[in-house]
Amino acid sequence: MEVDLGARSYPILIGCGLISSPDCYAPYVRGRQVLVVSNDTVAPLYLDAVERALASLDIHKVILPDGERYKDLATLNRIFDALLAERLGRDVTVIALGGGVVGDMAGFAAACYQRGVDFIQVPTTLLAQVDSSVGGKTGVNHALGKNMIGAFHQPRAVVADTDTLSTLPDRELAAGLAEVVKYGLIRDPDFVDWLEASRERLLARDADALAEAVERSCRNKAEVVAADEREAGQRALLNLGHTFGHAIEAGLGYGEWLHGEAVAAGMVMAAELSARLGWLAADDVGRIRRLLAGFGLPVDPPPDLTAERWLALMAVDKKVQGGRLRLVLLRAIGGAVVTADFDPAALRALLEQTAAASGRATA
């Protein structure tokens, strides 16, 4: 599979055992120097295999602490420290070995170092394989907003070894499935049907089912990115649930909820707002809640945010234009829209009801 971006097109390699295959790296490394960026959870599992695959090259590495709370400028500087301390040149290839945090940070470092060097994504979580490794969005968080500091920088290749999913904790697997569900909800209703029918196989980590989920998700994302690389229009559809979800992550503190967990609750909130606007049938909202809950994901937001806090957090969002908040909402399962043309009173009512329900839950 390929992300079609003309001269900057690149392959998404999906399969078992790819992480240790030299052939998955060699065509995409233009120099002899590589810097492998990983974290202290993933490196003990897979770094040796990657180093063996790159044995003919001059290998350097930097191991970051694991967790969303480390996706910041201070930790990013450790990658720059390694690049500069080893005197790595413009022909270095940065290899991101890990989940979405590692991929976003390594990609951002590659975008910035000497004004841009090559990098390869080697995602080891389901969420990273189906979402963050594809499309060239890189960056770090700020205390006031998630992913607000970053750059578009496309990888040379994505190497998605589905064998790595066998070591994922159940919670991480479920978080990745939230992003898988997203593709069905925004543009692929047949995929939603398949996910409902395949729930038990996916939760049991059936290799064929997981490979199909990764392949169909990546195909959907690749088509959207090819049509709108820099999010001028339809690529924003990929953010279904994310405005609400990012508010949850920033409001609670990064790492309290996993990204996929926050997005799951956010997608339900987007569906409920769509229903309040008369765009989505109540039965479809129920169907979305059941699908996400069936994967072990939260379908209600946390009990810690007031309506005013919600609105303040949502105002710090990349989809805000001209001071107006745009949201990704649903007109049908498989039919998403990006719009600022919604009744703000309906949004406030939803947030006030959410806060009131949360207050009752914690009274």
Side-chain angles (χ1 to χ4, degrees):
M1 184 190 315
E2 184 173 82
V3 180
D4 184 4
L5 294 172
R8 290 174 297 102
S9 298
Y10 56 91
I12 305 171
L13 309 176
I14 302 169
C16 300
L18 302 186
I19 205 166
S20 58
S21 171
D23 292 342
C24 289
Y25 305 94
Y28 314 109
V29 178
R30 290 191 273 209
R32 288 200 48 78
Q33 298 177 323
V34 296
L35 176 72
V36 182
V37 180
S38 191
N39 66 36
D40 51 19
T41 298
V42 173
L45 297 172
Y46 301 114
L47 181 57
D48 284 350
V50 172
E51 289 190 277
R52 287 195 297 272
L54 301 171
S56 64
L57 301 174
D58 180 13
I59 304 169
H60 306 267
K61 54 199 173 188
V62 58
I63 310 302
L64 307 177
D66 186 15
E68 186 80 26
R69 65 186 181 277
Y70 298 111
K71 187 180 170 184
D72 58 19
L73 289 168
T75 307
L76 178 72
N77 223 34
R78 295 173 61 167
I79 304 177
F80 293 129
D81 289 345
L83 288 162
L84 289 163
E86 300 294 340
R87 300 182 181 180
L88 302 181
R90 296 195 71 182
D91 61 347
V92 67
T93 298
V94 176
I95 296 180
L97 173 66
V101 171
V102 166
D104 281 6
M105 294 181 71
F108 188 31
C112 298
Y113 185 62
Q114 299 199 35
R115 297 180 175 85
V117 298
D118 289 346
F119 85 111
I120 295 171
Q121 289 273 19
V122 187
T124 59
T125 67
L126 181 59
L127 192 148
Q129 289 184 5
V130 303
D131 186 58
S132 60
S133 67
V134 178
K137 279 188 176 181
T138 71
V140 296
N141 299 330
H142 187 280
L144 297 179
K146 182 178 171 70
N147 292 333
M148 294 299 289
I149 303 168
F152 287 98
H153 190 55
Q154 300 294 343
R156 292 269 291 154
V158 177
V159 181
D161 187 339
T162 53
D163 283 348
T164 63
L165 304 182
S166 65
T167 60
L168 276 185
D170 290 344
R171 187 181 173 194
E172 293 275 2
L173 181 74
L177 287 168
E179 293 282 4
V180 173
V181 169
K182 176 193 72 179
Y183 293 110
L185 295 182
I186 63 172
R187 69 191 307 268
D188 192 348
D190 291 342
F191 194 20
V192 175
D193 295 340
W194 182 85
L195 288 167
E196 289 172 327
S198 304
R199 180 178 67 87
E200 292 185 4
R201 293 173 61 210
L202 290 166
L203 291 176
R205 305 181 193 235
D206 177 88
D208 291 338
L210 285 171
E212 182 165 353
V214 172
E215 192 276 333
R216 291 181 72 162
S217 298
C218 287
R219 190 169 301 282
N220 272 296
K221 183 158 189 181
E223 290 172 359
V224 172
V225 170
D228 179 20
E229 179 183 1
R230 291 183 174 261
E231 207 169 283
Q234 76 174 74
R235 181 168 177 172
L237 295 174
L238 296 171
N239 289 318
L240 175 66
H242 284 57
T243 301
F244 295 104
H246 288 170
I248 291 171
E249 291 183 86
L252 297 186
Y254 297 117
E256 288 298 312
W257 280 36
L258 297 178
H259 174 67
E261 294 170 336
V263 167
M267 288 192 292
V268 174
M269 293 180 74
E272 290 182 345
L273 179 58
S274 301
R276 285 173 179 262
L277 297 169
W279 297 357
L280 186 67
D283 287 348
D284 285 338
V285 178
R287 185 183 178 194
I288 292 167
R289 289 180 69 96
R290 288 190 298 274
L291 178 58
L292 292 166
F295 285 128
L297 288 159
V299 292
D300 294 304
D304 305 272
L305 303 177
T306 65
E308 292 303 326
R309 180 68 170 144
W310 273 108
L311 290 169
L313 290 165
M314 293 169 69
V316 186
D317 184 88
K318 296 185 295 296
K319 293 185 293 302
V320 171
Q321 288 188 351
R324 296 186 70 195
L325 175 64
R326 297 187 304 154
L327 293 174
V328 184
L329 300 174
L330 295 171
R331 292 193 177 275
I333 289 179
V337 295
V338 184
T339 182
D341 187 20
F342 59 87
D343 182 358
L347 173 60
R348 177 174 281 276
L350 172 65
L351 297 176
E352 288 176 348
Q353 180 181 2
T354 295
S358 297
R360 287 195 300 272
T362 58

